[in-house]
Amino acid sequence: MNAQQPSIQFLTLEESAKVDAALLSSSEKFLTRLTISSWKLLKHIAQDYNVAVEDLTTQQIIDWFEKDGKVRREQGNEAAYLKW
């Protein structure tokens, strides 16, 4: 993970507008946004491990979150990949 990386946006304004325009209930729109964002995050995690998304294991995902959390705790929120 690069501490100098640009801010990450998991759902673009265009994607959000497309979800808003879809004939979905509020809960379906929320789930759709969550799914798109999760898919993008999984692509990033897979890239970090140099594997295809479908080859990611549950343990790799957990390990990645632990690693990102450790970076946040030790180096601050801006150094972590996820900003929250």
Side-chain angles (χ1 to χ4, degrees):
M1 276 178 268
N2 181 356
Q4 301 300 319
Q5 67 187 322
S7 178
I8 304 301
Q9 184 175 1
F10 289 103
L11 196 66
T12 67
L13 292 175
E14 180 183 347
E15 290 166 334
S16 186
K18 286 180 179 180
V19 172
D20 282 340
L23 300 175
L24 301 170
S25 68
S26 293
S27 59
E28 290 168 332
K29 287 179 183 183
F30 171 77
L31 185 55
T32 301
R33 285 185 177 92
L34 181 62
T35 301
I36 293 167
S37 298
S38 297
W39 171 65
K40 289 180 180 184
L41 180 55
L42 286 171
K43 285 175 36 178
H44 173 79
I45 294 170
Q47 184 178 7
D48 271 5
Y49 283 106
N50 200 28
V51 299
V53 172
E54 57 270 16
D55 293 333
L56 277 174
T57 66
T58 300
Q59 191 60 53
Q60 286 173 314
I61 295 167
I62 292 167
D63 291 347
W64 186 92
F65 273 92
E66 288 177 337
K67 180 177 143 187
D68 195 58
K70 182 178 180 184
V71 168
R72 181 177 300 96
R73 288 187 301 279
E74 293 177 355
Q75 300 175 30
N77 192 51
E78 290 306 311
Y81 184 79
L82 296 174
K83 313 289 189 236
W84 44 29

